[in-house]
Short mmCIF file of all heavy atoms in Angstrom, two decimals:
data_model
loop_
_atom_site.label_atom_id
_atom_site.label_comp_id
_atom_site.label_asym_id
_atom_site.label_seq_id
_atom_site.Cartn_x
_atom_site.Cartn_y
_atom_site.Cartn_z
N SER A 10 175.99 20.58 -100.53
CA SER A 10 176.51 19.28 -100.13
C SER A 10 177.07 19.39 -98.70
O SER A 10 177.30 20.49 -98.19
CB SER A 10 177.60 18.83 -101.08
OG SER A 10 178.79 19.55 -100.87
N LYS A 11 177.29 18.27 -98.09
CA LYS A 11 177.83 18.24 -96.75
C LYS A 11 179.22 18.88 -96.71
O LYS A 11 179.58 19.59 -95.77
CB LYS A 11 177.88 16.80 -96.24
CG LYS A 11 178.07 16.70 -94.76
CD LYS A 11 177.78 15.29 -94.29
CE LYS A 11 177.71 15.27 -92.79
NZ LYS A 11 176.44 15.05 -92.24
N GLU A 12 180.01 18.65 -97.75
CA GLU A 12 181.36 19.24 -97.86
C GLU A 12 181.27 20.77 -97.84
O GLU A 12 181.99 21.43 -97.11
CB GLU A 12 182.01 18.76 -99.13
CG GLU A 12 183.42 19.29 -99.32
CD GLU A 12 184.47 18.30 -98.89
OE1 GLU A 12 184.13 17.17 -98.54
OE2 GLU A 12 185.63 18.68 -98.92
N ASP A 13 180.35 21.33 -98.62
CA ASP A 13 180.18 22.78 -98.65
C ASP A 13 179.71 23.32 -97.31
O ASP A 13 180.13 24.39 -96.87
CB ASP A 13 179.16 23.18 -99.74
CG ASP A 13 179.70 22.94 -101.13
OD1 ASP A 13 180.92 22.93 -101.30
OD2 ASP A 13 178.87 22.72 -102.04
N GLN A 14 178.86 22.59 -96.64
CA GLN A 14 178.36 23.00 -95.34
C GLN A 14 179.52 23.12 -94.34
O GLN A 14 179.60 24.08 -93.60
CB GLN A 14 177.33 22.01 -94.82
CG GLN A 14 176.67 22.44 -93.54
CD GLN A 14 175.63 21.46 -93.04
OE1 GLN A 14 175.44 20.41 -93.63
NE2 GLN A 14 174.98 21.80 -91.97
N TYR A 15 180.41 22.14 -94.34
CA TYR A 15 181.57 22.21 -93.44
C TYR A 15 182.47 23.40 -93.78
O TYR A 15 183.01 24.06 -92.90
CB TYR A 15 182.41 20.93 -93.54
CG TYR A 15 181.84 19.75 -92.80
CD1 TYR A 15 181.73 18.52 -93.43
CD2 TYR A 15 181.38 19.87 -91.47
CE1 TYR A 15 181.20 17.42 -92.73
CE2 TYR A 15 180.85 18.78 -90.81
CZ TYR A 15 180.78 17.57 -91.44
OH TYR A 15 180.26 16.50 -90.76
N ASN A 16 182.64 23.67 -95.07
CA ASN A 16 183.52 24.76 -95.49
C ASN A 16 183.05 26.12 -95.02
O ASN A 16 183.84 27.04 -94.84
CB ASN A 16 183.67 24.77 -97.01
CG ASN A 16 184.47 23.60 -97.52
OD1 ASN A 16 185.22 22.99 -96.77
ND2 ASN A 16 184.31 23.27 -98.78
N GLU A 17 181.74 26.28 -94.82
CA GLU A 17 181.20 27.57 -94.44
C GLU A 17 180.98 27.71 -92.94
O GLU A 17 180.60 28.78 -92.47
CB GLU A 17 179.86 27.79 -95.17
CG GLU A 17 180.02 27.88 -96.67
CD GLU A 17 181.00 28.94 -97.12
OE1 GLU A 17 180.98 30.05 -96.55
OE2 GLU A 17 181.82 28.66 -98.01
N GLN A 18 181.22 26.67 -92.19
CA GLN A 18 180.97 26.74 -90.73
C GLN A 18 182.09 27.49 -90.02
O GLN A 18 183.26 27.26 -90.31
CB GLN A 18 180.87 25.34 -90.13
CG GLN A 18 179.57 24.65 -90.41
CD GLN A 18 179.55 23.27 -89.80
OE1 GLN A 18 180.50 22.50 -89.95
NE2 GLN A 18 178.50 22.96 -89.10
N PRO A 19 181.73 28.34 -89.06
CA PRO A 19 182.76 28.97 -88.23
C PRO A 19 183.48 27.92 -87.38
O PRO A 19 182.90 26.91 -87.01
CB PRO A 19 181.96 29.91 -87.35
CG PRO A 19 180.66 30.11 -88.05
CD PRO A 19 180.41 28.81 -88.77
N VAL A 20 184.76 28.18 -87.10
CA VAL A 20 185.59 27.27 -86.36
C VAL A 20 186.19 28.01 -85.16
O VAL A 20 186.51 29.19 -85.25
CB VAL A 20 186.72 26.73 -87.26
CG1 VAL A 20 187.71 25.89 -86.48
CG2 VAL A 20 186.14 25.91 -88.42
N ILE A 21 186.32 27.30 -84.05
CA ILE A 21 186.98 27.84 -82.86
C ILE A 21 188.24 27.03 -82.59
O ILE A 21 188.17 25.80 -82.51
CB ILE A 21 186.05 27.82 -81.64
CG1 ILE A 21 184.80 28.65 -81.89
CG2 ILE A 21 186.79 28.33 -80.39
CD1 ILE A 21 183.76 28.53 -80.82
N LYS A 22 189.36 27.71 -82.48
CA LYS A 22 190.64 27.08 -82.12
C LYS A 22 190.81 27.25 -80.62
O LYS A 22 190.65 28.36 -80.08
CB LYS A 22 191.77 27.77 -82.86
CG LYS A 22 193.15 27.30 -82.50
CD LYS A 22 194.17 28.08 -83.33
CE LYS A 22 195.55 27.98 -82.80
NZ LYS A 22 196.47 28.83 -83.56
N ILE A 23 191.08 26.16 -79.90
CA ILE A 23 191.21 26.19 -78.45
C ILE A 23 192.63 25.76 -78.05
O ILE A 23 193.06 24.66 -78.43
CB ILE A 23 190.17 25.25 -77.82
CG1 ILE A 23 188.77 25.67 -78.26
CG2 ILE A 23 190.30 25.29 -76.29
CD1 ILE A 23 187.69 24.63 -77.94
N CYS A 24 193.31 26.62 -77.32
CA CYS A 24 194.64 26.29 -76.84
C CYS A 24 194.48 25.32 -75.64
O CYS A 24 193.79 25.62 -74.68
CB CYS A 24 195.37 27.55 -76.39
SG CYS A 24 197.01 27.19 -75.70
N CYS A 25 195.13 24.17 -75.73
CA CYS A 25 195.01 23.15 -74.67
C CYS A 25 195.66 23.61 -73.37
O CYS A 25 195.25 23.20 -72.29
CB CYS A 25 195.62 21.85 -75.14
SG CYS A 25 194.80 21.12 -76.55
N LYS A 26 196.70 24.45 -73.45
CA LYS A 26 197.41 24.90 -72.26
C LYS A 26 196.67 25.99 -71.52
O LYS A 26 196.62 26.00 -70.29
CB LYS A 26 198.81 25.37 -72.62
CG LYS A 26 199.75 24.25 -73.01
CD LYS A 26 201.15 24.78 -73.28
CE LYS A 26 202.09 23.65 -73.60
NZ LYS A 26 203.45 24.14 -73.85
N THR A 27 196.13 26.97 -72.26
CA THR A 27 195.54 28.15 -71.62
C THR A 27 194.02 28.19 -71.69
O THR A 27 193.39 28.96 -70.98
CB THR A 27 196.07 29.46 -72.28
OG1 THR A 27 195.58 29.50 -73.61
CG2 THR A 27 197.58 29.51 -72.25
N GLY A 28 193.43 27.40 -72.59
CA GLY A 28 192.00 27.44 -72.80
C GLY A 28 191.53 28.62 -73.63
O GLY A 28 190.35 28.84 -73.82
N GLU A 29 192.50 29.39 -74.14
CA GLU A 29 192.17 30.57 -74.96
C GLU A 29 191.49 30.14 -76.25
O GLU A 29 191.94 29.22 -76.91
CB GLU A 29 193.44 31.35 -75.28
CG GLU A 29 193.20 32.57 -76.13
CD GLU A 29 194.49 33.29 -76.51
OE1 GLU A 29 195.53 32.97 -75.95
OE2 GLU A 29 194.41 34.16 -77.39
N ASN A 30 190.41 30.84 -76.61
CA ASN A 30 189.67 30.54 -77.83
C ASN A 30 189.98 31.59 -78.89
O ASN A 30 190.05 32.77 -78.58
CB ASN A 30 188.17 30.55 -77.59
CG ASN A 30 187.72 29.38 -76.73
OD1 ASN A 30 188.50 28.51 -76.36
ND2 ASN A 30 186.47 29.37 -76.37
N THR A 31 190.12 31.14 -80.13
CA THR A 31 190.26 32.03 -81.27
C THR A 31 189.21 31.65 -82.28
O THR A 31 189.13 30.49 -82.69
CB THR A 31 191.66 31.92 -81.89
OG1 THR A 31 192.64 32.14 -80.89
CG2 THR A 31 191.84 32.96 -83.00
N ALA A 32 188.36 32.59 -82.67
CA ALA A 32 187.27 32.30 -83.61
C ALA A 32 187.69 32.62 -85.04
O ALA A 32 188.35 33.61 -85.29
CB ALA A 32 186.03 33.09 -83.21
N PHE A 33 187.27 31.77 -85.96
CA PHE A 33 187.51 31.97 -87.37
C PHE A 33 186.16 31.88 -88.08
O PHE A 33 185.29 31.10 -87.71
CB PHE A 33 188.45 30.90 -87.93
CG PHE A 33 189.82 30.96 -87.31
CD1 PHE A 33 190.11 30.20 -86.20
CD2 PHE A 33 190.79 31.81 -87.80
CE1 PHE A 33 191.38 30.26 -85.61
CE2 PHE A 33 192.05 31.89 -87.22
CZ PHE A 33 192.34 31.10 -86.12
N THR A 34 186.00 32.67 -89.15
CA THR A 34 184.71 32.70 -89.84
C THR A 34 184.44 31.46 -90.66
O THR A 34 183.28 31.13 -90.93
CB THR A 34 184.62 33.93 -90.78
OG1 THR A 34 185.73 33.90 -91.68
CG2 THR A 34 184.64 35.22 -89.99
N ASN A 35 185.49 30.74 -91.04
CA ASN A 35 185.29 29.50 -91.78
C ASN A 35 186.52 28.62 -91.65
O ASN A 35 187.54 29.02 -91.09
CB ASN A 35 184.97 29.77 -93.27
CG ASN A 35 186.06 30.58 -93.93
OD1 ASN A 35 187.25 30.40 -93.67
ND2 ASN A 35 185.67 31.50 -94.79
N ILE A 36 186.42 27.39 -92.12
CA ILE A 36 187.48 26.43 -91.93
C ILE A 36 188.73 26.81 -92.75
O ILE A 36 189.84 26.53 -92.32
CB ILE A 36 186.99 24.98 -92.27
CG1 ILE A 36 187.92 23.98 -91.62
CG2 ILE A 36 186.84 24.79 -93.75
CD1 ILE A 36 187.33 22.60 -91.51
N ALA A 37 188.55 27.52 -93.85
CA ALA A 37 189.71 27.91 -94.65
C ALA A 37 190.59 28.88 -93.88
O ALA A 37 191.82 28.76 -93.89
CB ALA A 37 189.26 28.54 -95.96
N SER A 38 190.00 29.85 -93.19
CA SER A 38 190.81 30.80 -92.44
C SER A 38 191.45 30.14 -91.22
O SER A 38 192.59 30.45 -90.87
CB SER A 38 189.98 32.03 -92.03
OG SER A 38 188.88 31.65 -91.24
N ALA A 39 190.77 29.19 -90.59
CA ALA A 39 191.36 28.47 -89.47
C ALA A 39 192.51 27.61 -89.95
O ALA A 39 193.56 27.50 -89.30
CB ALA A 39 190.31 27.60 -88.79
N ALA A 40 192.34 26.98 -91.12
CA ALA A 40 193.40 26.11 -91.66
C ALA A 40 194.63 26.93 -92.03
O ALA A 40 195.76 26.52 -91.77
CB ALA A 40 192.87 25.36 -92.89
N LYS A 41 194.40 28.11 -92.59
CA LYS A 41 195.52 28.98 -92.97
C LYS A 41 196.30 29.39 -91.72
O LYS A 41 197.53 29.36 -91.70
CB LYS A 41 195.01 30.21 -93.71
CG LYS A 41 196.08 31.10 -94.24
CD LYS A 41 195.52 32.23 -95.07
CE LYS A 41 196.63 33.10 -95.63
NZ LYS A 41 196.09 34.20 -96.43
N ASP A 42 195.60 29.76 -90.66
CA ASP A 42 196.23 30.17 -89.41
C ASP A 42 197.04 29.02 -88.82
O ASP A 42 198.13 29.22 -88.28
CB ASP A 42 195.17 30.62 -88.40
CG ASP A 42 195.77 30.89 -87.03
OD1 ASP A 42 196.40 31.96 -86.86
OD2 ASP A 42 195.63 30.05 -86.12
N SER A 43 196.51 27.80 -88.94
CA SER A 43 197.13 26.64 -88.33
C SER A 43 198.12 25.95 -89.24
O SER A 43 198.76 24.98 -88.85
CB SER A 43 196.04 25.63 -87.94
OG SER A 43 195.13 26.26 -87.07
N GLN A 44 198.24 26.44 -90.47
CA GLN A 44 199.13 25.88 -91.49
C GLN A 44 198.85 24.38 -91.72
O GLN A 44 199.75 23.56 -91.80
CB GLN A 44 200.60 26.10 -91.10
CG GLN A 44 200.94 27.58 -91.02
CD GLN A 44 202.36 27.84 -90.65
OE1 GLN A 44 203.06 26.98 -90.13
NE2 GLN A 44 202.83 29.04 -90.94
N ILE A 45 197.56 24.09 -91.81
CA ILE A 45 197.05 22.74 -92.10
C ILE A 45 196.06 22.91 -93.26
O ILE A 45 195.36 23.93 -93.33
CB ILE A 45 196.31 22.16 -90.88
CG1 ILE A 45 197.26 22.10 -89.65
CG2 ILE A 45 195.77 20.77 -91.18
CD1 ILE A 45 196.54 21.77 -88.37
N SER A 46 195.96 21.93 -94.14
CA SER A 46 194.99 22.04 -95.21
C SER A 46 193.57 21.98 -94.62
O SER A 46 193.35 21.39 -93.57
CB SER A 46 195.17 20.92 -96.23
OG SER A 46 194.76 19.68 -95.69
N ALA A 47 192.63 22.60 -95.31
CA ALA A 47 191.24 22.61 -94.82
C ALA A 47 190.69 21.21 -94.65
O ALA A 47 190.08 20.89 -93.62
CB ALA A 47 190.37 23.46 -95.73
N PRO A 48 190.88 20.28 -95.64
CA PRO A 48 190.37 18.91 -95.41
C PRO A 48 191.02 18.23 -94.20
O PRO A 48 190.35 17.51 -93.47
CB PRO A 48 190.75 18.20 -96.71
CG PRO A 48 190.84 19.30 -97.75
CD PRO A 48 191.39 20.47 -96.99
N ALA A 49 192.31 18.45 -93.99
CA ALA A 49 192.99 17.83 -92.84
C ALA A 49 192.46 18.41 -91.53
O ALA A 49 192.24 17.69 -90.56
CB ALA A 49 194.50 18.04 -92.95
N LEU A 50 192.23 19.73 -91.52
CA LEU A 50 191.69 20.34 -90.31
C LEU A 50 190.27 19.86 -90.04
O LEU A 50 189.93 19.56 -88.89
CB LEU A 50 191.72 21.87 -90.43
CG LEU A 50 191.23 22.63 -89.19
CD1 LEU A 50 192.00 22.25 -87.95
CD2 LEU A 50 191.29 24.12 -89.43
N ARG A 51 189.46 19.77 -91.07
CA ARG A 51 188.09 19.26 -90.89
C ARG A 51 188.12 17.85 -90.30
O ARG A 51 187.36 17.53 -89.38
CB ARG A 51 187.34 19.25 -92.23
CG ARG A 51 185.89 18.80 -92.09
CD ARG A 51 185.14 18.85 -93.38
NE ARG A 51 185.68 17.89 -94.32
CZ ARG A 51 186.27 18.20 -95.48
NH1 ARG A 51 186.40 19.45 -95.87
NH2 ARG A 51 186.75 17.25 -96.26
N GLN A 52 189.03 17.00 -90.77
CA GLN A 52 189.15 15.65 -90.24
C GLN A 52 189.55 15.68 -88.77
O GLN A 52 189.06 14.89 -87.98
CB GLN A 52 190.16 14.85 -91.07
CG GLN A 52 190.14 13.37 -90.78
CD GLN A 52 188.79 12.73 -91.07
OE1 GLN A 52 188.09 13.11 -92.00
NE2 GLN A 52 188.41 11.76 -90.28
N ARG A 53 190.46 16.60 -88.43
CA ARG A 53 190.87 16.69 -87.02
C ARG A 53 189.71 17.15 -86.13
O ARG A 53 189.59 16.70 -85.00
CB ARG A 53 192.05 17.66 -86.89
CG ARG A 53 193.32 17.06 -87.41
CD ARG A 53 194.52 17.94 -87.21
NE ARG A 53 195.69 17.21 -87.66
CZ ARG A 53 196.74 17.75 -88.21
NH1 ARG A 53 196.78 19.06 -88.40
NH2 ARG A 53 197.76 17.02 -88.59
N ILE A 54 188.88 18.05 -86.66
CA ILE A 54 187.71 18.49 -85.91
C ILE A 54 186.76 17.32 -85.68
O ILE A 54 186.29 17.06 -84.58
CB ILE A 54 186.99 19.64 -86.62
CG1 ILE A 54 187.86 20.90 -86.63
CG2 ILE A 54 185.63 19.93 -85.97
CD1 ILE A 54 187.34 22.01 -87.52
N LEU A 55 186.50 16.58 -86.74
CA LEU A 55 185.51 15.49 -86.66
C LEU A 55 186.00 14.33 -85.79
O LEU A 55 185.20 13.61 -85.21
CB LEU A 55 185.19 14.99 -88.07
CG LEU A 55 184.47 16.00 -88.97
CD1 LEU A 55 184.31 15.46 -90.37
CD2 LEU A 55 183.12 16.39 -88.38
N THR A 56 187.32 14.16 -85.70
CA THR A 56 187.87 13.03 -84.92
C THR A 56 188.49 13.49 -83.61
O THR A 56 189.09 12.68 -82.91
CB THR A 56 188.91 12.24 -85.77
OG1 THR A 56 189.94 13.16 -86.17
CG2 THR A 56 188.28 11.60 -86.97
N ASN A 57 188.38 14.80 -83.30
CA ASN A 57 188.87 15.36 -82.04
C ASN A 57 190.37 15.14 -81.85
O ASN A 57 190.84 14.79 -80.77
CB ASN A 57 188.08 14.78 -80.85
CG ASN A 57 188.23 15.64 -79.62
OD1 ASN A 57 188.45 16.85 -79.71
ND2 ASN A 57 188.12 15.03 -78.46
N VAL A 58 191.14 15.35 -82.90
CA VAL A 58 192.60 15.22 -82.85
C VAL A 58 193.22 16.55 -82.46
O VAL A 58 192.87 17.60 -83.01
CB VAL A 58 193.15 14.73 -84.21
CG1 VAL A 58 194.68 14.79 -84.22
CG2 VAL A 58 192.68 13.34 -84.51
N HIS A 59 194.16 16.51 -81.53
CA HIS A 59 194.87 17.72 -81.07
C HIS A 59 196.23 17.77 -81.78
O HIS A 59 196.85 16.75 -82.04
CB HIS A 59 195.08 17.67 -79.55
CG HIS A 59 193.81 17.71 -78.78
ND1 HIS A 59 193.68 18.39 -77.62
CD2 HIS A 59 192.60 17.14 -79.02
CE1 HIS A 59 192.46 18.26 -77.15
NE2 HIS A 59 191.78 17.48 -77.99
N CYS A 60 196.69 19.00 -82.06
CA CYS A 60 197.96 19.20 -82.72
C CYS A 60 198.53 20.55 -82.30
O CYS A 60 197.78 21.53 -82.20
CB CYS A 60 197.76 19.14 -84.24
SG CYS A 60 199.26 19.35 -85.18
N ASN A 61 199.82 20.63 -82.08
CA ASN A 61 200.48 21.88 -81.69
C ASN A 61 199.82 22.51 -80.46
O ASN A 61 199.62 23.72 -80.41
CB ASN A 61 200.48 22.87 -82.86
CG ASN A 61 201.22 22.34 -84.05
OD1 ASN A 61 202.19 21.60 -83.90
ND2 ASN A 61 200.80 22.71 -85.23
N ASN A 62 199.46 21.69 -79.49
CA ASN A 62 198.83 22.14 -78.23
C ASN A 62 197.50 22.86 -78.44
O ASN A 62 197.11 23.68 -77.62
CB ASN A 62 199.79 23.04 -77.45
CG ASN A 62 200.99 22.27 -76.94
OD1 ASN A 62 200.86 21.17 -76.42
ND2 ASN A 62 202.17 22.84 -77.13
N CYS A 63 196.82 22.55 -79.54
CA CYS A 63 195.50 23.13 -79.81
C CYS A 63 194.56 22.06 -80.35
O CYS A 63 194.98 21.01 -80.81
CB CYS A 63 195.61 24.23 -80.88
SG CYS A 63 196.55 25.66 -80.34
N HIS A 64 193.28 22.34 -80.24
CA HIS A 64 192.28 21.56 -80.96
C HIS A 64 191.23 22.52 -81.48
O HIS A 64 191.18 23.68 -81.10
CB HIS A 64 191.71 20.43 -80.10
CG HIS A 64 190.92 20.87 -78.91
ND1 HIS A 64 191.48 21.32 -77.74
CD2 HIS A 64 189.58 20.91 -78.70
CE1 HIS A 64 190.55 21.63 -76.87
NE2 HIS A 64 189.37 21.40 -77.41
N TRP A 65 190.41 22.04 -82.37
CA TRP A 65 189.46 22.88 -83.07
C TRP A 65 188.08 22.26 -82.97
O TRP A 65 187.93 21.04 -82.95
CB TRP A 65 189.85 22.98 -84.56
CG TRP A 65 191.18 23.59 -84.77
CD1 TRP A 65 191.48 24.90 -85.05
CD2 TRP A 65 192.45 22.93 -84.74
NE1 TRP A 65 192.83 25.07 -85.16
CE2 TRP A 65 193.45 23.89 -85.01
CE3 TRP A 65 192.85 21.61 -84.51
CZ2 TRP A 65 194.81 23.57 -85.03
CZ3 TRP A 65 194.19 21.28 -84.55
CH2 TRP A 65 195.16 22.27 -84.80
N VAL A 66 187.07 23.11 -82.93
CA VAL A 66 185.67 22.65 -82.92
C VAL A 66 184.88 23.55 -83.85
O VAL A 66 185.26 24.71 -84.07
CB VAL A 66 185.07 22.69 -81.50
CG1 VAL A 66 185.75 21.72 -80.56
CG2 VAL A 66 185.09 24.09 -80.90
N PHE A 67 183.80 23.02 -84.39
CA PHE A 67 182.89 23.87 -85.14
C PHE A 67 182.10 24.70 -84.14
O PHE A 67 181.71 24.22 -83.08
CB PHE A 67 181.93 23.03 -85.99
CG PHE A 67 182.60 22.43 -87.18
CD1 PHE A 67 182.65 21.05 -87.36
CD2 PHE A 67 183.17 23.22 -88.17
CE1 PHE A 67 183.26 20.50 -88.47
CE2 PHE A 67 183.78 22.69 -89.29
CZ PHE A 67 183.83 21.31 -89.44
N ASP A 68 181.83 25.96 -84.47
CA ASP A 68 181.08 26.86 -83.61
C ASP A 68 179.60 26.52 -83.74
O ASP A 68 178.94 26.98 -84.65
CB ASP A 68 181.36 28.30 -83.99
CG ASP A 68 180.68 29.31 -83.07
OD1 ASP A 68 179.92 28.86 -82.18
OD2 ASP A 68 180.89 30.50 -83.29
N LYS A 69 179.08 25.76 -82.80
CA LYS A 69 177.69 25.31 -82.87
C LYS A 69 176.70 26.40 -82.54
O LYS A 69 175.51 26.22 -82.71
CB LYS A 69 177.51 24.09 -81.95
CG LYS A 69 178.41 22.94 -82.30
CD LYS A 69 177.64 21.70 -82.62
CE LYS A 69 178.51 20.49 -82.77
NZ LYS A 69 179.06 20.32 -84.08
N SER A 70 177.19 27.55 -82.08
CA SER A 70 176.29 28.66 -81.81
C SER A 70 176.07 29.51 -83.05
O SER A 70 175.32 30.49 -83.04
CB SER A 70 176.83 29.55 -80.68
OG SER A 70 178.03 30.18 -81.07
N ALA A 71 176.73 29.15 -84.13
CA ALA A 71 176.65 29.92 -85.37
C ALA A 71 175.26 29.77 -86.01
O ALA A 71 174.52 28.85 -85.73
CB ALA A 71 177.73 29.46 -86.35
N SER A 72 174.99 30.67 -86.91
CA SER A 72 173.68 30.71 -87.55
C SER A 72 173.36 29.45 -88.34
O SER A 72 172.20 29.14 -88.58
CB SER A 72 173.55 31.93 -88.44
OG SER A 72 174.54 31.88 -89.46
N HIS A 73 174.37 28.68 -88.75
CA HIS A 73 174.13 27.43 -89.49
C HIS A 73 173.24 26.48 -88.69
O HIS A 73 172.48 25.71 -89.24
CB HIS A 73 175.45 26.70 -89.74
CG HIS A 73 176.23 27.28 -90.88
ND1 HIS A 73 176.92 28.43 -90.77
CD2 HIS A 73 176.41 26.84 -92.14
CE1 HIS A 73 177.52 28.70 -91.92
NE2 HIS A 73 177.22 27.75 -92.77
N TYR A 74 173.36 26.55 -87.36
CA TYR A 74 172.61 25.62 -86.53
C TYR A 74 171.29 26.21 -86.05
O TYR A 74 170.47 25.51 -85.49
CB TYR A 74 173.46 25.23 -85.30
CG TYR A 74 174.65 24.39 -85.68
CD1 TYR A 74 175.88 24.99 -85.90
CD2 TYR A 74 174.52 23.02 -85.87
CE1 TYR A 74 176.97 24.21 -86.28
CE2 TYR A 74 175.62 22.26 -86.25
CZ TYR A 74 176.83 22.85 -86.44
OH TYR A 74 177.91 22.11 -86.81
N ASN A 75 171.10 27.50 -86.25
CA ASN A 75 169.90 28.16 -85.76
C ASN A 75 168.88 28.46 -86.85
O ASN A 75 167.84 29.00 -86.59
CB ASN A 75 170.28 29.47 -85.04
CG ASN A 75 171.24 29.23 -83.90
OD1 ASN A 75 171.17 28.19 -83.24
ND2 ASN A 75 172.15 30.16 -83.67
N GLY A 76 169.24 28.14 -88.10
CA GLY A 76 168.39 28.53 -89.21
C GLY A 76 167.42 27.57 -89.61
O GLY A 76 166.88 26.67 -89.49
#
């Protein structure tokens, strides 16, 4: 399902102040790091919402998009 596909996608956290990127293997690990629930983080990614001086994007270079 589309929900499962989002759960398995790698996520990149981007610091708005420094531009530093932090890669996570899936949305659950990114959500844990950010202390946000996975569904809430997914919504922030899809709507481009920034929080705590960071924003998150799905890693489009991941194998999900190349397969």
Side-chain angles (χ1 to χ4, degrees):
S10 74
K11 196 166 190 110
E12 182 98 5
D13 291 335
Q14 185 180 4
Y15 283 132
N16 290 339
E17 297 304 317
Q18 284 179 311
V20 173
I21 299 172
K22 175 180 164 184
I23 303 167
C24 178
C25 297
K26 288 184 177 180
T27 67
E29 179 183 350
N30 292 356
T31 306
F33 298 93
T34 55
N35 57 39
I36 200 162
S38 59
K41 186 175 182 180
D42 174 77
S43 303
Q44 298 180 341
I45 302 169
S46 72
L50 182 57
R51 183 178 65 244
Q52 192 61 34
R53 287 184 175 147
I54 292 170
L55 295 175
T56 57
N57 199 28
V58 171
H59 296 218
C60 180
N61 299 328
N62 293 315
C63 294
H64 65 283
W65 300 264
V66 295
F67 286 119
D68 183 357
K69 301 238 188 275
S70 66
S72 60
H73 281 76
Y74 292 95
N75 302 326

